[in-house]
Amino acid sequence: MSVIAEESVRGTGGSVFKEISADNDEDNQPTEIESLCMNCYQNGMTRILLTKIPFFKEVIISSFTCPNCSWSNTEIQSAGRIQDQGIAYTLKVKSIQVDMNREVVKADSATTRIPELDFEIPPYTQKGSLSTIEGLLDRAVAGLEQDQPLRNATAPEVAVKIDEFIDKLKKLKEGGFTLVIDDPSGNSFVENPFAPQKDEALSVSHYKRTPQQDAQLGIKAEDEEEKPSNDIDCMRNEVLTFNTNCPECNAPASTNMKLVQIPHFKEVIIMATNCDDCGHRTNEVKSGGATEELGTKITLHLTDVTDMSRDLLKSETCSILIPELEFELGMAAVGGKFTTLEGLLKDIKDLIVSKNPFTCGDSSTSDRTEKLKLFGEKIDKIMAGEMDVHIVLDDPAGNSYLQNVYAPDPDPEMTTEKYTRTFEQNEDLGLNDMKTEGYQE
């Protein structure tokens, strides 16, 4: 058995995961392995390619073909790290031309549901795939049709009901249904064809995994007991350090965490990660206090380039709007941050343009690439003070902050509005089911 050195995997030596390229590079060729065909039980050929998709992550692409029965199978597996949070996509499929052709990265840990038909594909019953919405439906139909000849012979009544259900699935290609992809690993993705504008038909939500989901992913034992938390006073007086992996190169790294009291605001948790291997640095801020009774909406009119230096605290629940660009970024997209307004705009540009997985390679189109390039140029103009725009921070939890440079006097270019949250916003924050008084009744 061969052993791969850690420095080779991490990329300091010859990296196992090569950048995807059209060049005929000998090091970037797939590995061919003779393997058994599960259809005719003769020997076929499996081709495996370890590659790295730019601005996305490392993946393992495998393809099997059998020269005896012509059976073939392809699949894609994520070779990257499990994300910090799970992710759920809810898509209202209306347009056949737009929605059915959306590209989808579906991990094997994802659950696929169609509520209108009470149809669900459980996790780990299908291999990971890179497909479209139409391709997911075709794959589901093919899976149901696979054992129909056997059912017709042994259980004809069941076979008839499955045929009826298959017809319903095929009719979904005409649109008018809801598709839900729930992936606890956070490695699934549904394309937004209107990027960088908001997709009205697609909603994305991040959530904290349950202990059962952690056990399914193999990152925590089912019988592992929770360790007692440290005293809150001790946490205020020391920097806590815990081991993690670098989000860029996946090398072992350390994350420092400190509980800090910001004067005239509230208590926050600051976390910072520094990777010694690739030099990547990241910081994140989380609110350490309670959810405010009212939401906060801060609107700033940018009139001068000096506005870019304003300090800004953005919580995970805060969404960002730029009305002049018809742009909206939902909560948890760039995480919690303590930065400047210029730093926030740079993060938005990196997320929408630089790190968009569908702006390069076979997945990109000239129209989409040109649209995102134009959006990036507009962000650069805003940071240079050449565009007259408004920046809106809408935080239903009330835990975000933007510096008032005229303090203690009011800022003539900034308005702060307190508002009552809607039922949907309380639902997103988990407040509707929270009961703090009389819970023993």
Side-chain angles (χ1 to χ4, degrees), residues 115-245:
E116 287 82 357
L117 298 183
D118 198 17
F119 176 67
E120 177 176 318
I121 302 176
Y124 304 106
T125 57
Q126 290 182 348
K127 296 295 184 180
S129 63
L130 172 61
S131 181
T132 61
I133 301 297
E134 184 177 6
L136 292 180
L137 295 178
D138 290 339
R139 191 177 184 184
V141 170
L144 292 174
E145 290 178 340
Q146 183 176 1
D147 294 329
Q148 279 297 85
L150 179 62
R151 296 191 190 99
N152 286 323
T154 57
E157 295 181 356
V158 176
V160 171
K161 293 182 179 179
I162 292 180
D163 282 334
E164 295 175 354
F165 190 82
I166 290 175
D167 292 336
K168 293 180 181 179
L169 277 178
K170 292 180 178 179
K171 291 181 180 178
L172 291 182
K173 292 184 179 181
E174 301 174 1
F177 68 95
T178 304
L179 179 69
V180 180
I181 297 180
D182 189 342
D183 184 9
S185 72
N187 286 327
S188 294
F189 189 84
V190 177
E191 177 193 9
N192 173 12
F194 307 102
Q197 276 77 32
K198 180 181 179 181
D199 190 344
E200 299 294 341
L202 179 66
S203 62
V204 185
S205 60
H206 297 76
Y207 61 88
K208 183 179 180 181
R209 286 185 293 268
T210 63
Q212 293 78 12
Q213 290 173 328
D214 284 337
Q216 265 191 330
L217 295 173
I219 58 178
K220 182 179 179 181
E222 293 186 0
D223 55 352
E224 183 178 344
E225 295 183 358
E226 292 288 339
K227 296 182 180 180
S229 58
N230 294 330
D231 185 77
I232 191 68
D233 293 330
C234 296
M235 293 181 64
R236 288 192 178 98
N237 298 325
E238 65 176 331
V239 178
L240 302 180
T241 303
F242 53 91
N243 296 326
T244 183
N245 285 4

Side-chain angles (χ1 to χ4, degrees), residues 193-401:
F194 307 102
Q197 276 77 32
K198 180 181 179 181
D199 190 344
E200 299 294 341
L202 179 66
S203 62
V204 185
S205 60
H206 297 76
Y207 61 88
K208 183 179 180 181
R209 286 185 293 268
T210 63
Q212 293 78 12
Q213 290 173 328
D214 284 337
Q216 265 191 330
L217 295 173
I219 58 178
K220 182 179 179 181
E222 293 186 0
D223 55 352
E224 183 178 344
E225 295 183 358
E226 292 288 339
K227 296 182 180 180
S229 58
N230 294 330
D231 185 77
I232 191 68
D233 293 330
C234 296
M235 293 181 64
R236 288 192 178 98
N237 298 325
E238 65 176 331
V239 178
L240 302 180
T241 303
F242 53 91
N243 296 326
T244 183
N245 285 4
C246 174
E248 289 294 326
C249 68
N250 207 30
S254 297
T255 296
N256 297 326
M257 182 177 72
K258 182 72 166 67
L259 199 61
V260 178
Q261 177 70 40
I262 297 180
H264 311 295
F265 188 54
K266 59 177 63 179
E267 203 168 50
V268 297
I269 300 173
I270 299 178
M271 295 190 295
T273 303
N274 186 11
C275 178
D276 295 332
D277 284 30
C278 68
H280 176 74
R281 294 182 179 182
T282 180
N283 65 81
E284 188 172 355
V285 178
K286 296 181 180 292
S287 174
T291 302
E292 299 292 330
E293 294 184 2
L294 298 175
T296 303
K297 184 176 182 180
I298 304 173
T299 303
L300 174 65
H301 182 204
L302 300 181
T303 57
D304 192 82
V305 70
T306 57
D307 289 330
M308 294 294 107
S309 60
R310 289 177 184 249
D311 290 332
L312 180 145
L313 176 64
K314 176 196 172 298
S315 72
E316 288 184 321
T317 57
C318 179
S319 59
I320 304 167
L321 295 88
I322 306 179
E324 288 78 4
L325 301 185
E326 297 182 357
F327 173 75
E328 179 177 350
L329 188 68
M331 61 177 65
V334 293
K337 288 185 176 294
F338 181 63
T339 179
T340 61
L341 193 55
E342 182 180 9
L344 180 65
L345 291 175
K346 286 182 178 179
D347 290 337
I348 292 175
K349 181 182 176 182
D350 290 341
L351 178 68
I352 302 299
V353 182
S354 303
K355 297 182 179 180
N356 193 322
F358 293 110
T359 58
C360 59
D362 296 337
S363 300
S364 65
T365 61
S366 58
D367 293 341
R368 182 189 306 159
T369 304
E370 185 64 27
K371 185 194 297 183
L372 293 178
K373 180 181 178 181
L374 181 61
F375 178 79
E377 292 175 352
K378 291 181 179 178
I379 293 294
D380 290 335
K381 289 182 179 180
I382 294 176
M383 290 189 290
E386 299 175 0
M387 283 190 68
D388 186 14
V389 297
H390 294 75
I391 303 293
V392 182
L393 303 179
D394 190 351
D395 188 358
N399 290 326
S400 295
Y401 164 81

